[in-house]
Amino acid sequence: MKLVTAIFKPSRLDAVIDALSEAGATGLTVTEVRGYGRQQGKTEVYRGAEYEVRLLPKVRVEVACSDDAADRFADAIIAAANTGTIGDGKIFIHTVDSIIRIRTGERDEQAVTG
């Protein structure tokens, strides 16, 4: 089992959700987060005053899946979230020891499929 975690620009969220659905994801979790990478934040002007925004708004999407679906989901996220500019984000693929559906007690692959 794998957990695919992607952090990317909020403007790409709808496209990523659509791409994951088409790739076969049956569920996902979305969290609004803030952070920075190489760009180290940015400078903005508000009412004539310049100020530095160190933590930029991002979106984190997590999808639990079988081992063979992880690369397919990562490819779908890359295709949907890529704008070709700095700050497009990152994808992390983690190994998960076990997943349990609370309602039914189903475990692992049965817990994340329809």
Side-chain angles (χ1 to χ4, degrees):
M1 301 298 303
K2 300 286 185 183
L3 179 65
V4 179
T5 303
I7 300 173
F8 53 89
K9 294 178 179 182
S11 62
R12 305 304 304 154
L13 179 59
D14 288 337
V16 169
I17 290 172
D18 292 343
L20 285 170
S21 294
E22 289 176 21
T26 58
L28 54 85
T29 301
V30 177
T31 310
E32 293 180 4
V33 297
R34 295 187 312 150
Y36 70 89
R38 286 187 185 167
Q39 78 270 29
Q40 299 287 317
K42 63 181 178 178
T43 302
E44 292 188 356
V45 177
Y46 179 71
R47 294 187 177 183
E50 193 173 282
Y51 66 99
E52 182 182 6
V53 178
R54 294 188 64 199
L55 299 175
L56 301 174
K58 301 288 181 180
V59 174
R60 180 174 60 203
V61 172
E62 297 173 305
V63 181
C65 61
S66 61
D67 290 346
D68 60 325
D71 286 335
R72 185 173 72 242
F73 290 168
D75 291 341
I77 294 167
I78 291 167
N82 184 3
T83 66
T85 60
I86 193 165
D88 273 352
K90 299 277 190 296
I91 298 174
F92 307 93
I93 301 176
H94 311 275
T95 300
V96 176
D97 292 331
S98 185
I99 299 172
I100 304 168
R101 181 177 287 159
I102 294 173
R103 180 177 54 87
T104 63
E106 293 171 310
R107 292 181 174 267
D108 300 328
E109 209 163 317
Q110 291 79 27
V112 294
T113 58

